[in-house]
């Protein structure tokens, strides 16, 4: 049975003749004279119009379409050709198509190319990419392979083979092991809990704990130990049948989302497979979950001990000042009395010496008493280890069991820390024989102070070092999704060596294959930037640059605004509020975004759109789905809960956003919002959100600056020049934002960025290098950028001799890059292949010692790209202004976010990363729907404009204002899903005969 990939609307769009604007027609229907002459020699002149029609659309899409009469008229007029024949033979059409394919050097659809498409589909299926994304990835790959686009039926067949192969091979191998006695350990999951007759034991493991309280840590540890014992028994079977972490994750979700009794309703083979996946995935995520909480607990203890030391020091400050004052007074008093004795004329010299000696002896005793008091005081204040040791008892109660249970990858971990952990596990009583090589010299002194072995302090410091080692990659877990050895995340070396050339070709990175050829134009460009920037400074062309001793001043004037600026607000409804429900319905009528909300199994499964809309509003407005069901008409709480479990996912909400964003590309006005029509400048920034005090989440962190004593998260969001919010990710407030830049640029399916800007938190030299290699221009706003060092391919002396004002600090160590070039390419292709996310790779890579070869090579390459950017940044005032303007857009959108996410005081009320991202994506979907509605509303206003002046006035108001305006949207009140209004749609219904917008007279 054939599977459904595209909705009817999407399939119609895939097979429909694409529309072209005037410029596109000029380009795609352009026929070179040599080909035109050849056609005129061999075919009837009137049929050439049809040939050009086929040629233009094939050049655009790699597909042949049925004839569009209106386009034929355009072609006939352009080339002054005769009237078109009404009928043309199939034989002639086949001949035309072959000529076109030969002329454009289109490859045949061979078994080899078919195998490449199948391999890509298999790879994506094994990573559980949505079927729709697999489909469009294959479409793009077909274009890269320069073949005629396979039919929808053929692409669907390839995907179906990939999906069937993925699971069926495992089931076939498992079928041979069904009688294996080891599988019986799974039966316990399907037993009823004695304390709750209607609850199966497997339900006990469905949800992870997030609290770091002792009883919750112990509860989690007990669950881990149970899963661990089962995993150890089943590991050989899991490996034999080929369950990977990705496969385990996908099928384990069935257990988490479904009802326990349903496991007894499927056949034994599928049941065992599902439970094996569940055990494997549970073991991986429970290891990660406990380590997340281990690290969080240690960090809290560090912060607490530091604050205690600081507070104690503050409390003793008056006493310390008093001691110092006493010391000062005693010294001054002694000197004054000695001076008085010396000046006493009644005393002889001998008597003076004797008196001074007596005085000094007396004062010395006093000073010694004061100094002794100061010494005791200093010892108390400066001994930080006393405060650290006080945390021992609480940490041992929470963390000892975790440290003893977690399986470590000893082969890739630091031997000293491994030795200490082994001793800790094997010995109930810690003695002086405990390994101490992992401690630094200061810590060793503190632990063995005065010959006394401080056991409690030793344990605390061990916990501290374990936490640090896991974070910096010198201590790796054996079974984990987040904390394995870095090399485990990369494409297998053997596979890389075997398929390197093909992978580079498929991902259009052939230009990276040869390092010398790749780096040469980059060298030339950097030298030219040094020359250009310095010449403009020397000749006084850079009027905003002023040299200072060992530094410089660079000013950036604000962009001028039109004095007669019109507010766009006056064009929107002012006497009424538009229901957010109605607006979302209308936008779905245009974009079909609700079809993105497929059931978890991705098979055809229709559901009530009202329920999806209720879930989107419940999540996106932060109302909670329970509350949403209570304040809405026509919504059942049970059905809404089912929607939450099976239809609301990160992937679905992202895809729905992509559909709305892609639809905006059809509106000419959206492209006209850019500074340069064909260049899309994007940016990203983080917005802080509190986590509700009643919620424990391992994804939340402390930041006194933003949350005081509470916890929070960051929604890291991407926006383009047209205010389209094309990606967002909820991250821990303590994470570096820069790692998420790559994922946002690569993973969204709707927006291609030509130049991307962030603030300082989104910048590292490694990111400069990676964005360049992946084909993006990176242009961050760097705080104190004057302190950033410049680098060159020649020595600093070379540039000094050229008389440059701006010279590099040192020469690029090119050998570091060249010697690691193959590993850099392996790293890049791993990202492209979606084996793991760029964020995960960068977390592990940047956590390592700075001596990691790949890290230092990428950083060194990034210094080249960063230097070139800084030189251009200094030289080009318009670049600085564009960066500032683009970053202001994402900051402005943050206010919009808070307006939409208004419920529960704008605090996240969900614990897991997945559900936080669903809520965040739902919020963004509402924002994008409002933005699209407003663009369509303004486009209709432009269509209805009575003259060019009125049209120009509306357009200028939009350009000089912001499309992010929501005062006329009703987010509140009762939500009624029992009725709909066509009035809201009429406000934006465009006149198709006029195109999406007649913008001939509008200038960018």
């Amino acid at each position: 049975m054939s599977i459904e990939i595209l909705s009817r609307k999407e399939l119609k769009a895939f097979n429909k003749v694409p529309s072209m604007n005037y410029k596109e027609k000029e380009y795609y229907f352009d026929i070179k004279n040599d080909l035109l002459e050849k056609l005129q020699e061999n075919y009837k002149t009137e049929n050439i119009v049809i040939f050009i029609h086929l040629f233009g659309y094939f050049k655009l899409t790699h597909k042949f379409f049925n004839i569009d009469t209106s386009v034929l008229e355009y072609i006939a007029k352009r080339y002054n050709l005769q009237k078109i024949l009404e009928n043309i033979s199939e034989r002639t059409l086949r001949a035309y198509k072959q000529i076109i394919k030969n002329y454009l050097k289109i490859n045949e659809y061979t078994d080899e190319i078919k195998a490449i498409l199948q391999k890509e589909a298999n790879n994506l299926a094994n990573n559980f990419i949505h079927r729709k994304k697999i489909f469009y990835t294959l479409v793009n790959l077909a274009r890269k392979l320069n073949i005629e686009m396979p039919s929808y039926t053929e692409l669907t067949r390839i995907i179906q083979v990939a999906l069937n192969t993925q699971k069926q091979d495992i089931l076939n191998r498992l079928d041979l092991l069904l009688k294996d006695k080891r599988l019986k350990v799974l039966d316990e999951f399907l037993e009823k809990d004695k304390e709750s007759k209607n609850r199966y034991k497997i339900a006990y493991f469905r949800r992870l704990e997030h609290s770091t309280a002792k009883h919750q840590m112990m509860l989690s540890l007990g669950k881990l130990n149970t899963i661990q014992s089962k995993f150890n028994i089943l590991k050989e079977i899991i490996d034999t049948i080929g369950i990977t972490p990705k496969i385990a994750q996908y099928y384990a979700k069935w257990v988490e989302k479904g009802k326990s009794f349903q496991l007894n309703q499927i056949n034994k083979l599928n049941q065992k497979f599902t439970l094996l996946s569940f055990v494997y995935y549970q073991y991986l995520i429970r290891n990660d979950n406990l380590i997340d909480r281990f690290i969080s607990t240690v960090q809290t203890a560090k912060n607490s001990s530091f604050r205690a030391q600081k507070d104690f020091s503050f409390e003793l400050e008056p006493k310390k000042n008093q001691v110092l004052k006493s010391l000062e007074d005693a010294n001054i008093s002694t000197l004054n009395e000695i001076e008085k004795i010396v000046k006493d004329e009644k005393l002889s010299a001998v008597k003076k010496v004797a008196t001074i000696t007596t005085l000094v002896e007396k004062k010395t005793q006093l000073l010694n008493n004061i100094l002794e008091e100061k010494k005791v005081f200093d010892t108390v204040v400066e001994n930080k280890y006393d405060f650290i040791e006080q945390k021992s008892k609480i940490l041992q109660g929470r963390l000892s069991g975790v440290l003893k249970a977690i399986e470590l990858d000893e082969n890739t971990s630091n031997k000293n820390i491994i030795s200490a952990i082994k001793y800790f596990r094997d010995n109930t009583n810690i003695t002086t024989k405990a390994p101490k090589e992992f401690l630094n010299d200061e810590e060793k002194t503190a632990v063995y102070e005065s010959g006394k072995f401080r056991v409690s302090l030793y344990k605390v410091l061990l916990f501290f070092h374990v936490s640090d080692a896991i974070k910096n990659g010198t201590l790796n877990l054996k079974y984990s999704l987040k904390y394995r050895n870095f090399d485990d995340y990369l494409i297998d070396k053997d596979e890389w060596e075997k398929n390197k050339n093909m992978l580079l070709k498929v991902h259009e990175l052939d230009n990276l294959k040869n390092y010398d050829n790749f780096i040469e134009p980059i060298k030339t460009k950097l030298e030219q930037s040094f020359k250009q920037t310095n010449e403009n400074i020397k000749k006084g062309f850079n009027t905003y640059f002023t040299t200072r001793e060992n530094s410089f001043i660079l000013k950036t004037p604000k962009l001028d605004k039109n004095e007669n600026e019109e507010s766009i607000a006056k064009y929107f409804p002012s006497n009424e509020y538009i229901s957010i429900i109605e607006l979302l319905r209308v936008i779905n009528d245009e974009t079909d975004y609700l079809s993105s909300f497929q059931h978890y199994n991705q098979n055809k499964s229709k559901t009530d759109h009202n329920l999806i809309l209720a879930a989107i509003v419940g999540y996106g407005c932060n109302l909670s789905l329970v509350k949403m069901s209570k304040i809405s008409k026509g919504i059942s709480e049970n059905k809404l809960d089912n929607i939450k479990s099976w239809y609301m996912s990160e992937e679905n909400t992202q895809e729905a956003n992509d559909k709305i964003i892609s639809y905006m590309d059809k509106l000419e006005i959206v492209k006209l919002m850019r500074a340069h029509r064909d260049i899309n400048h994007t940016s990203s920034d983080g917005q802080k959100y509190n986590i509700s005090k009643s919620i424990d989440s391992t994804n939340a962190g402390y930041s006194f600056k933003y949350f005081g004593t509470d916890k929070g998260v960051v929604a890291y969001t991407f926006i383009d020049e047209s205010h389209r919010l094309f990606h967002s990710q909820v991250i821990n407030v303590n994470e570096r934002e820069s790692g998420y830049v790559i994922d946002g640029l690569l993973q969204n399916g709707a927006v291609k960025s030509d130049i991307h800007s962030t603030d300082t938190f989104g910048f590292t030299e490694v990111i400069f290098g990676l964005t360049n290699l992946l084909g993006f221009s990176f242009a961050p706003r760097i705080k104190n950028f004057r302190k950033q060092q410049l680098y060159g391919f020649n020595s600093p002396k070379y540039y000094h001799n050229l008389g440059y004002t701006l010279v590099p600090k040192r020469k690029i160590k090119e050998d570091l890059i060249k010697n690691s070039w193959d590993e850099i390419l392996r790293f890049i292709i791993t990202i492209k292949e979606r084996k793991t996310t760029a964020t995960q790779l960068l977390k592990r890579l940047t956590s390592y010692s700075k001596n990691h070869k790949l890290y230092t090579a990428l950083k060194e390459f990034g210094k080249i790209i960063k230097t070139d950017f800084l030189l251009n940044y200094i030289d080009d005032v318009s670049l600085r202004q564009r960066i500032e303007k683009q970053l202001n857009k994402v900051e402005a959108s943050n206010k919009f976010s808070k307006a939409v996410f208004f419920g529960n005081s704008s605090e996240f009320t969900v614990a897991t990363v997945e559900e936080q991202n669903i809520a965040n994506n739902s919020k963004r979907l509402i924002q994008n729907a409002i933005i699209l509605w407003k663009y369509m509303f303004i486009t209709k206003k432009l269509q209805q404009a009575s003259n060019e002046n009125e049209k120009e006035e509306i357009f200028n108001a939009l350009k000089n204002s912001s499309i992010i305006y929501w005062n006329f949207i009703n987010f509140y009140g009762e939500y009624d899903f029992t009725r709909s209004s066509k009035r809201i749609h009429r406000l934006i219904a465009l006149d198709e005969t006029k195109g999406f917008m007649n913008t001939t007279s509008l200038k960018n």
Side-chain angles (χ1 to χ4, degrees):
M1 187 175 111
S2 178
I3 60 173
E4 181 182 287
I5 304 259
L6 303 182
S7 67
R8 288 183 181 179
K9 202 166 185 177
E10 290 167 332
L11 181 57
K12 185 179 179 181
F14 179 71
N15 291 321
K16 184 182 177 183
V17 178
S19 60
M20 295 189 206
N21 59 36
Y22 184 78
K23 286 186 177 180
E24 288 171 332
K25 286 179 181 177
E26 274 195 329
Y27 173 75
Y28 287 107
F29 293 120
D30 181 49
I31 297 291
K32 303 301 179 186
N33 289 333
D34 61 335
L35 178 58
L36 191 59
E37 290 171 3
K38 184 179 178 180
L39 291 171
Q40 290 170 338
E41 289 174 7
N42 295 286
Y43 296 95
K44 295 178 181 179
T45 304
E46 54 266 32
N47 284 356
I48 295 174
V49 178
I50 293 178
F51 177 92
I52 296 173
H53 179 287
L54 294 171
F55 179 90
Y57 281 114
F58 191 86
K59 186 177 177 182
L60 172 64
T61 65
H62 283 213
K63 292 169 65 178
F64 292 111
F65 293 94
N66 294 329
I67 306 304
D68 184 334
T69 306
S70 63
V71 176
L72 290 178
E73 292 174 356
Y74 161 81
I75 295 169
K77 185 176 180 181
R78 175 174 174 177
Y79 288 97
N80 195 27
L81 295 171
Q82 295 180 15
K83 184 181 177 182
I84 307 142
L85 285 180
E86 292 184 3
N87 296 306
I88 186 169
S89 69
E90 285 295 322
R91 181 179 178 183
T92 303
L93 281 174
R94 285 197 299 272
Y96 283 175
K97 290 176 181 179
Q98 194 57 51
I99 291 170
I100 290 169
K101 289 193 282 187
N102 291 340
Y103 185 82
L104 295 175
K105 298 178 181 178
I106 298 298
N107 297 316
E108 292 297 319
Y109 185 56
T110 62
D111 288 341
E112 181 183 1
I113 286 178
K114 185 177 178 181
I116 292 174
L117 290 174
Q118 189 67 64
K119 183 178 182 299
E120 179 67 6
N122 291 348
N123 177 51
L124 293 170
N126 286 334
N127 284 287
F128 293 93
I129 305 302
H130 264 214
R131 295 173 183 181
K132 211 169 288 183
K133 286 190 177 180
I134 297 176
F135 179 84
Y136 288 116
T137 300
L138 294 182
V139 168
N140 291 331
L141 179 56
R143 289 185 61 83
K144 292 174 186 177
L145 294 171
N146 203 32
I147 61 171
E148 181 179 352
M149 188 63 61
S151 67
Y152 174 71
T153 302
E154 172 65 4
L155 291 173
T156 301
R157 187 201 63 77
I158 290 172
I159 295 171
Q160 188 160 25
V161 168
L163 295 171
N164 291 341
T165 301
Q166 172 205 69
K167 183 178 178 182
Q168 194 57 50
D169 287 350
I170 295 173
L171 291 178
N172 291 339
R173 287 189 286 268
L174 179 58
D175 194 30
L176 301 174
L177 299 170
L178 268 184
K179 294 182 180 180
D180 194 308
K181 293 181 180 179
R182 290 173 292 181
L183 291 173
K184 289 186 177 181
V185 302
L186 296 170
D187 295 341
E188 184 185 345
F189 285 130
L190 303 178
E191 296 174 1
K192 292 285 185 72
D193 193 325
K194 292 180 181 179
E195 297 180 2
S196 177
K197 292 182 180 180
N198 295 322
R199 188 185 188 196
Y200 290 86
K201 287 186 177 179
I202 197 167
Y204 183 66
F205 297 93
R206 275 185 176 156
R207 293 193 178 277
L208 294 173
E209 296 73 38
H210 292 263
S211 171
T212 56
K214 182 180 177 181
H215 73 282
Q216 287 286 301
M217 295 290 283
M218 297 307 293
L219 177 65
S220 298
L221 192 59
K223 292 182 180 182
L224 175 69
N225 289 334
T226 300
I227 293 293
Q228 185 181 55
S229 65
K230 294 183 184 299
F231 176 77
N232 288 337
I233 294 170
L234 299 167
K235 181 184 180 303
E236 186 178 351
I237 294 176
I238 290 170
D239 290 342
T240 300
I241 65 176
I243 298 180
T244 65
K246 286 277 188 181
I247 291 171
Q249 179 177 1
Y250 181 79
Y251 289 100
K253 291 284 184 181
W254 281 94
V255 179
E256 295 176 11
K257 292 174 178 290
K259 305 294 184 183
S260 299
F261 69 86
Q262 292 174 324
L263 284 168
N264 281 322
Q265 297 177 344
I266 59 177
N267 63 57
K268 286 292 180 184
L269 186 61
N270 274 289
Q271 182 192 86
K272 299 300 182 188
F273 165 68
T274 303
L275 290 174
L276 283 169
S277 297
F278 182 73
V279 168
Y280 190 10
Y281 181 61
Q282 280 282 309
Y283 190 44
L284 294 171
I285 61 169
R286 287 195 175 277
N287 278 326
D288 286 349
N289 173 265
L290 278 167
I291 289 300
D292 285 340
R293 291 151 75 191
F294 185 105
I295 292 171
S296 176
T297 301
V298 167
Q299 189 59 52
T300 300
K302 285 182 177 179
N303 295 342
S304 177
S305 61
F306 174 76
R307 283 197 302 271
Q309 181 188 356
K310 189 175 179 181
D311 291 344
F312 189 63
S313 176
F314 181 77
E315 289 175 10
L316 293 180
E317 193 69 22
K319 186 176 180 181
K320 178 182 177 181
N321 292 336
Q322 185 180 352
V323 170
L324 293 175
K325 185 70 167 60
S326 298
L327 186 61
E328 182 183 357
D329 290 345
N331 286 325
I332 292 174
S333 173
T334 302
L335 291 174
N336 287 337
E337 289 189 43
I338 290 174
E339 183 182 14
K340 186 177 179 181
I341 292 169
V342 170
K343 291 182 177 180
D344 190 345
E345 296 179 355
K346 296 178 181 179
L347 297 175
S348 64
V350 174
K351 190 66 173 176
K352 287 180 180 179
V353 171
T355 306
I356 290 173
T357 301
T358 302
L359 176 65
V360 169
E361 288 175 357
K362 179 182 176 183
K363 291 292 186 181
T364 298
Q365 183 61 43
L366 175 63
L367 288 171
N368 285 337
N369 291 338
I370 296 173
L371 289 171
E372 194 64 30
E373 187 178 357
K374 181 178 182 296
K375 182 180 178 182
V376 171
F377 171 81
D378 289 343
T379 301
V380 172
V381 173
E382 294 173 4
N383 191 359
K384 62 182 179 183
Y385 294 103
D386 288 344
F387 296 94
I388 292 174
E389 190 173 22
Q390 291 173 12
K391 302 297 176 183
S392 182
K393 187 175 181 180
I394 190 170
L395 291 183
Q396 288 182 59
R398 296 179 184 182
L399 306 182
S400 294
V402 178
L403 196 54
K404 291 177 180 179
I406 298 295
E407 291 189 71
L408 301 169
D409 185 354
E410 296 182 16
N411 293 329
T412 63
S413 298
N414 180 278
K415 304 305 177 187
N416 292 333
I417 195 73
I418 287 289
S419 176
I421 293 170
K422 281 184 174 181
Y423 182 89
F424 180 83
R425 288 175 171 178
D426 297 339
N427 294 273
T428 306
N429 297 318
I430 306 297
T431 70
T432 54
K433 294 180 180 179
K436 56 185 178 182
E437 289 75 17
F438 70 96
L439 299 170
N440 62 40
D441 291 340
E442 183 184 286
E443 290 168 342
K444 288 175 185 175
T445 302
V447 170
Y448 296 92
E449 182 183 23
S450 303
K452 178 187 175 183
F453 180 58
R454 299 169 70 178
V455 179
S456 295
L457 180 59
Y458 179 90
K459 291 179 180 179
V460 176
L461 292 175
L462 176 61
F463 295 145
F464 282 14
H465 278 272
V466 166
S467 176
D468 291 342
I470 290 173
K471 287 192 294 184
N472 67 33
T474 55
L475 182 62
N476 301 306
L477 271 62
K478 195 172 183 180
Y479 298 104
S480 166
L481 295 176
K482 296 167 63 175
Y483 298 110
R484 286 179 290 138
N485 179 41
F486 171 70
D487 205 58
D488 291 346
Y489 294 99
L490 297 177
I491 289 176
D492 180 75
K493 285 188 176 181
D494 291 337
E495 180 187 349
W496 170 243
E497 289 301 323
K498 180 181 177 182
N499 300 315
K500 182 191 308 182
N501 292 334
M502 186 271 286
L503 288 168
L504 288 169
K505 181 179 180 181
V506 164
H507 293 292
E508 297 180 305
L509 295 173
D510 275 331
N511 63 311
L512 302 181
K513 191 183 300 182
N514 184 288
Y515 170 78
D516 291 325
N517 292 342
F518 171 75
I519 204 68
E520 198 55 42
I522 291 177
K523 287 183 178 180
T524 303
K525 173 72 167 55
L526 184 60
E527 293 304 309
Q528 181 60 35
S529 294
F530 266 115
K531 180 180 179 182
Q532 180 77 43
T533 302
N534 279 285
E535 279 188 358
N536 286 342
I537 290 171
K538 187 175 182 179
K539 294 177 180 179
F541 295 156
N542 191 341
T543 56
Y544 300 104
F545 182 94
T546 307
T547 56
R548 289 286 184 270
E549 186 177 356
N550 299 322
S551 186
F552 60 88
I553 294 174
L554 187 68
K555 296 180 180 178
T556 303
K558 291 184 178 180
L559 284 169
D560 292 332
K561 284 195 173 184
N562 190 336
E563 291 181 3
N564 299 316
E565 175 183 330
E566 293 282 345
S567 172
I568 196 65
K570 72 177 186 179
Y571 294 102
F572 290 109
S574 58
N575 298 322
E576 59 180 331
Y577 284 102
I578 293 174
S579 161
I580 187 60
I581 298 296
E582 291 300 328
L583 186 145
L584 289 171
R585 277 200 182 114
V586 165
I587 294 303
N588 180 63
D589 291 340
E590 299 293 332
T591 66
D592 191 34
Y593 71 83
L594 288 177
S595 67
S596 297
F597 291 90
Q598 300 178 8
H599 191 279
Y600 187 70
N601 68 10
Q602 299 184 49
N603 287 330
K604 185 177 181 180
S605 180
K606 292 184 178 180
T607 190
D608 186 347
H609 278 183
N610 284 338
L611 290 169
I612 300 290
L613 287 173
I616 291 169
V617 173
Y619 272 121
C621 292
N622 202 29
L623 296 170
S624 87
L625 299 197
V626 173
K627 182 176 181 180
M628 194 69 198
S629 65
K630 295 183 185 303
I631 64 175
S632 301
K633 288 185 179 180
I635 297 299
S636 160
E637 184 176 343
N638 289 337
K639 289 182 179 179
L640 192 56
D641 187 61
N642 183 63
I643 292 295
K644 169 188 172 182
S645 297
W646 294 107
Y647 291 86
M648 300 301 292
S649 68
E650 291 183 61
E651 293 82 3
N652 289 348
T653 49
Q654 175 65 46
E655 184 186 308
N657 272 286
D658 287 350
K659 278 193 173 182
I660 295 174
I661 291 164
S662 295
Y663 188 90
M664 290 190 217
D665 270 336
K666 296 181 181 181
L667 302 175
E668 191 70 12
I669 194 171
V670 174
K671 294 175 184 176
L672 291 175
M673 296 301 290
R674 300 175 185 170
H676 301 285
R677 179 188 172 86
D678 299 322
I679 298 175
N680 194 15
H681 193 157
T682 61
S683 58
S684 55
D685 192 21
Q687 183 176 13
K688 312 297 186 296
Y689 287 91
N690 281 76
I691 286 280
S692 174
K693 290 181 179 179
S694 62
I695 299 295
D696 289 309
S697 173
T698 56
N699 196 44
Y702 288 105
S703 173
F704 188 79
K705 178 180 178 182
Y706 298 109
F707 311 122
T709 57
D710 296 329
K711 282 187 173 183
V713 294
V714 173
Y716 193 65
T717 302
F718 292 69
I719 190 171
D720 76 348
E721 285 182 274
S722 307
H723 293 94
R724 296 183 296 174
L725 299 159
F726 62 89
H727 186 77
S728 192
Q729 177 77 33
V730 180
I731 63 177
N732 192 300
V733 70
N734 297 313
E735 286 193 74
R736 181 80 190 238
E737 295 174 355
S738 57
Y740 291 89
V741 171
I742 303 296
D743 282 340
L745 294 175
L746 286 179
Q747 288 185 2
N748 86 88
V751 170
K752 182 187 180 300
S753 173
D754 297 295
I755 179 171
H756 186 75
S757 295
T758 69
D759 62 13
T760 301
F761 293 107
F763 138 75
T764 66
E765 285 161 335
V766 169
I767 296 298
F768 265 110
L770 285 178
T771 48
N772 178 271
L773 293 168
L774 291 166
F776 304 104
S777 292
F778 188 44
R781 175 178 63 192
I782 304 175
K783 188 177 181 181
N784 297 324
F785 73 92
R786 289 185 294 274
K787 296 181 180 179
Q788 293 292 320
Q789 294 181 0
L790 303 177
Y791 301 87
F793 283 98
N794 296 294
S795 67
K797 185 178 179 181
Y798 169 84
Y799 299 94
H800 275 294
N801 291 340
L802 291 173
Y804 287 174
T805 301
L806 296 173
V807 297
K809 182 75 173 179
R810 69 163 175 81
K811 184 178 178 180
I812 288 291
K813 299 174 183 176
E814 196 176 347
D815 285 347
L816 285 177
I817 306 169
K818 189 170 185 177
N819 293 339
S820 294
W821 192 244
D822 193 65
E823 280 298 285
I824 289 175
L825 297 185
R826 183 179 166 216
F827 183 86
I828 292 294
I829 293 298
T830 298
I831 295 173
K832 284 283 194 177
E833 283 281 286
R834 298 172 184 259
K835 179 175 171 62
T836 189
T837 64
T839 302
Q840 182 60 45
L841 284 171
L842 288 169
K843 278 182 183 178
R844 297 312 285 156
L845 180 64
T846 56
S847 67
Y848 277 75
S849 162
K850 304 309 178 186
N851 294 324
H852 193 287
K853 284 180 64 177
L854 178 57
Y855 176 86
T856 53
L858 275 171
K859 186 173 182 180
E860 197 69 12
F861 177 72
K863 289 174 180 176
I864 302 169
I865 309 304
K866 184 192 77 170
T867 298
D868 189 59
F869 164 72
L870 288 173
L871 290 169
N872 289 318
Y873 185 85
I874 291 167
D875 194 51
D876 188 350
V877 64
S878 65
L879 173 62
R880 300 198 298 274
Q881 290 175 321
R882 291 199 307 273
I883 291 171
E884 197 69 32
K885 182 179 180 181
Q886 184 57 31
L887 286 170
N888 287 341
K889 288 186 178 181
V890 72
E891 290 175 6
S893 76
N894 288 343
K895 295 179 182 178
F896 189 17
S897 295
K898 285 292 179 84
V900 174
F901 202 65
F902 65 87
N904 292 294
S905 303
S906 295
E907 294 180 342
F908 273 94
T909 57
V910 289
T912 66
V913 178
E914 180 183 20
E915 203 165 3
Q916 287 169 6
N917 279 321
I918 291 170
N920 190 46
N921 283 344
S922 297
K923 167 179 66 67
R924 185 163 58 89
L925 189 152
I926 293 171
Q927 291 176 273
N928 280 321
I930 292 171
I931 290 169
L932 172 56
W933 192 93
K934 287 187 290 185
Y935 271 132
M936 294 186 72
F937 185 88
I938 291 298
T939 299
K940 186 174 179 68
K941 288 285 184 186
L942 287 163
Q943 285 184 342
Q944 295 173 334
S946 57
N947 54 58
E948 291 301 318
N949 287 337
E950 184 181 350
K951 184 182 293 186
E952 193 77 24
E953 180 183 313
I954 296 170
F955 181 70
N956 285 337
L958 179 63
K959 285 282 284 186
N960 294 318
S961 300
S962 171
I963 198 70
I964 297 181
Y965 172 75
W966 63 90
N967 287 4
F968 59 94
I969 305 295
N970 179 20
F971 294 111
Y972 318 104
E974 186 177 67
Y975 299 98
D976 190 349
F977 292 91
T978 61
R979 60 187 178 85
S980 61
S981 169
K982 293 182 179 180
R983 180 182 61 82
I984 308 302
H985 185 269
R986 286 196 295 270
L987 291 173
I988 64 169
L990 303 181
D991 185 346
E992 297 287 342
T993 62
K994 295 183 180 180
F996 275 99
M997 175 176 153
N998 181 7
T999 57
T1000 307
S1001 64
L1002 297 180
K1003 303 298 180 183
N1004 202 3

